[in-house]
Amino acid sequence: MKSSEHITLYELNRLVKEVIECEMPNEYWVEAELSECRESRGHCYMELIQKDEQSATPIAKASAKCWAPKWMVIRPYFERATSQHLHAGMKVLLKVYPHFHEAYGFSWIVTDIDPTFTLGDMARKRQEIIRQLKEEGVFDLQKELRLPLFCQRIAVISSQTAAGYGDFSHQLDDNTYGFKFHTQLFPAVMQGEGTSQSIIAALGRIFSECYESPEYPEDSDIPFDCVVIIRGGGATSDMSGFDTLELAENVANFPLPIITGIGHDRDESILDMVSHIRVKTPTDRPSERRTRHHRRSTESDYPLCPAETLHDETAIGYGSGDTPKTILHGKNSTGGQDRLSQ
């Protein structure tokens, strides 16, 4: 074939670029799911996917980019509106235009993201998970458990460096009555995509220590009275890990009462909904104590507080000698058997 009858790859790609720029000069709003999202040098790189509604088989894929000048504006706006970072699995509505580069190929360039679309999809997914949990009959299982009148031993699921965990530990250690608190940390990731699986793994370790450890035969006491999951404080982003069906099912079916303190007042996750008790983030508790010091506190107000925050009439149990037997005050003061002993 003569050289005049063929073109170079660059020339072909240049032709494709010119056709795209000529035939598709407009911007388009496109609905897609993120299969990957990462930042590099201030730019955001996304992999978009569309799945078949019946089989969940991918039927379309594309790459997208948001250049730094736009991303610096879009990202904080989106996160303020949704309280979420962009992450894999999220449904998004993007404003894009096509771009073809001779060396790097085709991609969509993102110029805007509509947070209201993502909020609507998140709300739909939450309601679907709640509906499924109720249909399975597990949504209120944790509420049926009895928190002992005096909880002595606590399994804590948190990040070792989390501010909420540090505040919680200091509150227990510095109580004015000198109570001896027995806590054991089961470290877990408390933000980002690995949150759900990490907490499930921590629950598995607690379960194994309670029921499968040779140190605690079947006829002995369970080593923990309850489980406390602490995130505590910080931004409201990265909360999506607490809204998964798998985590909710594991928490709902767990045989020990689970107390959550993973967000602020306005951040109620599905994990909070299915837990035995949901409390404020531990960093808020000292101020709450001060404002309520002069009235009698109900037990449900302070399920995690040391007993010095309760009224003097509250009973306190002791073990051998003068060693206090309690560290946490239970929500149910009527006693009774919990699900573990049935």
Side-chain angles (χ1 to χ4, degrees), residues 16-242:
V16 171
K17 179 178 181 178
E18 291 173 355
V19 170
I20 290 175
E21 290 176 349
C22 180
E23 297 298 326
M24 300 181 68
N26 300 321
E27 293 183 312
Y28 306 88
W29 283 103
V30 59
E31 171 188 342
E33 178 181 327
L34 296 175
S35 62
E36 183 181 337
C37 184
R38 60 185 177 85
E39 290 186 40
S40 178
R41 298 181 180 179
H43 311 298
C44 181
Y45 297 88
M46 312 173 196
E47 294 298 326
L48 310 179
I49 192 170
Q50 180 181 347
K51 299 176 183 177
D52 182 84
E53 294 183 0
Q54 302 299 323
S55 63
T57 303
I59 57 175
K61 293 183 179 181
S63 296
K65 303 179 180 71
C66 187
W67 302 127
K70 281 286 186 182
W71 183 238
M72 290 173 61
V73 177
I74 291 174
R75 175 183 174 178
Y77 172 70
F78 181 86
E79 292 178 357
R80 281 196 304 269
T82 65
S83 297
Q84 298 285 322
H85 294 308
L86 288 173
H87 59 81
M90 177 179 281
K91 289 285 187 69
V92 290
L93 186 63
L94 309 173
K95 192 174 186 180
V96 299
Y97 66 85
H99 176 72
F100 189 88
H101 190 278
E102 295 87 347
Y104 302 112
F106 181 85
S107 63
W108 294 102
I109 305 302
V110 178
T111 60
D112 201 0
I113 305 177
D114 183 359
T116 59
F117 175 85
T118 301
L119 282 170
D121 185 69
M122 288 165 55
R124 180 192 61 77
K125 286 181 177 179
R126 278 171 59 96
Q127 291 305 313
E128 177 62 24
I129 291 174
I130 292 170
R131 182 194 62 78
Q132 186 168 341
L133 291 168
K134 290 181 176 179
E135 286 185 355
E136 294 174 1
V138 301
F139 189 80
D140 292 318
L141 279 183
Q142 274 282 316
K143 306 294 190 297
E144 298 173 5
L145 296 176
R146 294 289 186 96
L147 198 64
L149 178 60
F150 295 117
C151 294
Q152 186 174 7
R153 304 151 300 178
I154 309 137
V156 180
I157 297 177
S158 184
S159 168
Q160 195 160 12
T161 59
Y165 171 64
D167 290 345
F168 177 77
S169 299
H170 292 150
Q171 288 173 15
L172 298 185
D173 293 340
D174 298 339
N175 73 90
T176 57
Y177 283 90
F179 292 168
K180 299 302 180 182
F181 290 50
H182 303 282
T183 63
Q184 181 174 338
L185 176 66
F186 292 82
V189 175
M190 301 305 289
Q191 63 179 6
E193 295 179 26
T195 299
S196 179
Q197 289 301 320
S198 184
I199 295 175
I200 291 172
L203 287 171
R205 295 194 297 272
I206 295 171
F207 183 89
S208 296
E209 189 155 329
C210 287
Y211 302 102
E212 299 173 1
S213 173
E215 298 181 20
Y216 302 100
E218 292 184 7
D219 58 349
S220 68
D221 291 337
I222 301 300
F224 302 113
D225 297 312
C226 66
V227 178
V228 177
I229 300 177
I230 300 173
R231 178 178 180 265
T236 59
S237 57
D238 279 342
M239 295 289 286
S240 60
F242 303 103

Side-chain angles (χ1 to χ4, degrees), residues 171-181 293 305-318 322-327:
Q171 288 173 15
L172 298 185
D173 293 340
D174 298 339
N175 73 90
T176 57
Y177 283 90
F179 292 168
K180 299 302 180 182
F181 290 50
H293 177 72
C305 282
E308 85 273 12
T309 65
L310 302 177
H311 192 270
D312 289 341
E313 294 178 11
T314 303
I316 298 175
Y318 290 84
D322 295 327
T323 303
K325 189 179 178 180
T326 180
I327 43 182

Side-chain angles (χ1 to χ4, degrees), residues 283-314:
T283 54
D284 288 339
R285 301 190 67 81
S287 61
E288 181 181 25
R289 292 176 190 163
R290 288 192 294 270
T291 59
R292 306 174 76 127
H293 177 72
H294 295 295
R295 72 170 179 83
R296 180 173 180 174
S297 304
T298 62
E299 292 155 307
S300 58
D301 287 333
Y302 300 106
L304 288 179
C305 282
E308 85 273 12
T309 65
L310 302 177
H311 192 270
D312 289 341
E313 294 178 11
T314 303

